[in-house]
Amino acid sequence: MQRLPSATIPGGLPLVLASGSPRRAQLLKAASYQFTIDPAGADAECGMCSRETAPELVARYAFRKAQDVATRHRSAMVLAADTVASVAGMILGKPSDELHAEEMLRTLSGRRHDVYTGVCLWRTNDQRCCVDVVRTELVMETLTDKMIEEYLSSMLWEGKAGAFGYQDGNDWIRIVGKGSESNVVGLPMERLKELLETFDQIAETIDTVGPEMPTSNQ
Ligand SMILES: Cc1cn([C@H]2C[C@H](O)[C@@H](COP(=O)(O)OP(=O)(O)OP(=O)(O)O)O2)c(=O)[nH]c1=O
């Protein structure tokens, strides 16, 4: 793992991680952030629009997760994220079972693909929010039936977008160029630092009656 950057939370507010993902908590801890965990409800991730691209989807889900958790915290900086893999126009989220995981691994086998993570920061004392998306390109070696079988029986695919864990130390998956490892694992730590440092300039005020998502950079 690359060295993890960190920033102070604007206004010294408590940081709330709106995620049940163990990877996101590990990344924040590794960068020495102090935070509490309050995962968003499962329905924050429902509803897929067929015309939506992967970056649009992760931005929307990150926003919805933050929005859900923001209602429970009066004065905090809520952080939410959503990660998917994307190949040839297909969006791969978390596999529902082993068969689904196998299907995903066979789809990704031997191909370049992208992992997108949407990040949302939501400051609850003034309802200001920013959303951004980071893309990392990866390439997966062609997997043999034996490699797929072994990985499936390890159960390491569970709960991971695209049915693989970059952090699991497999030599059959690598990042192309200088992409962010932490982005693949669920939280782009370099971009998070930038978002926290520029929050007061970039965040938009959310209309809490009919909230609309601010546009991300992607
Ligand atoms: C691509 C990839 C994803 N992942 C994980 C990160 C995320 O936890 C998960 C994608 O699912 P998400 O829906 O983004 O997150 P989650 O359901 O785990 O947690 P929450 O919704 O509460 O925030 O896949 C890895 O751990 N390694 C990888 O290499």
Side-chain angles (χ1 to χ4, degrees):
M1 183 67 65
Q2 294 154 344
R3 213 176 124 252
L4 295 178
S6 66
T8 53
I9 312 303
L13 290 173
L15 178 65
V16 177
L17 175 62
S19 172
S21 160
R23 275 75 54 172
R24 296 194 176 113
Q26 279 159 12
L27 287 166
L28 284 183
K29 260 188 219 146
S32 304
Y33 284 99
Q34 303 285 316
F35 61 100
T36 54
I37 298 176
D38 184 5
D43 56 357
E45 266 181 284
C46 69
M48 253 206 188
C49 164
S50 56
R51 279 162 305 158
E52 206 169 32
T53 64
E56 285 166 349
L57 177 87
V58 294
R60 187 166 62 84
Y61 279 176
F63 176 80
R64 286 181 53 148
K65 290 178 190 180
Q67 183 181 30
D68 181 44
V69 172
T71 57
R72 303 198 280 269
H73 299 267
R74 188 172 293 209
S75 186
M77 183 66 86
V78 173
L79 166 64
D82 194 81
T83 303
V84 297
S86 163
V87 62
M90 275 177 283
I91 297 177
L92 310 182
K94 289 169 290 188
S96 48
D97 54 25
E98 191 171 313
L99 205 65
H100 195 198
E102 178 176 353
E103 213 177 283
M104 288 185 179
L105 290 173
R106 291 196 187 279
T107 302
L108 294 171
S109 172
R111 292 169 97 166
R112 276 190 184 226
H113 61 276
D114 295 305
V115 168
Y116 291 92
T117 295
V119 186
C120 180
L121 280 171
W122 189 307
R123 188 161 67 189
T124 64
N125 52 353
D126 58 3
Q127 306 300 345
R128 291 183 70 199
C129 164
C130 66
V131 179
D132 206 355
V133 176
V134 177
R135 177 181 81 98
T136 304
E137 191 180 354
L138 297 113
V139 62
M140 192 182 281
E141 206 178 276
T142 302
L143 304 178
T144 61
D145 287 347
K146 187 164 178 283
M147 287 160 85
I148 292 176
E149 247 169 61
E150 275 173 13
Y151 193 66
L152 290 173
S153 60
S154 74
M155 300 303 285
L156 287 169
W157 51 269
E158 255 188 330
K160 290 172 184 158
F164 69 89
Y166 182 79
Q167 69 273 40
D168 297 337
N170 301 298
D171 55 7
W172 40 259
I173 182 118
R174 69 176 172 81
I175 288 173
V176 178
K178 285 193 177 159
S180 162
E181 285 180 30
S182 59
N183 186 53
V184 179
V185 181
L187 196 58
M189 299 303 285
E190 308 79 8
R191 186 63 56 85
L192 173 63
K193 176 181 191 288
E194 289 166 10
L195 293 175
L196 285 167
E197 284 171 349
T198 54
F199 186 84
D200 284 314
Q201 292 97 67
I202 61 173
E204 293 178 30
T205 304
I206 300 294
D207 171 3
T208 48
V209 180
E212 266 193 29
M213 190 174 73
T215 42
S216 74
N217 291 339
Q218 298 267 322

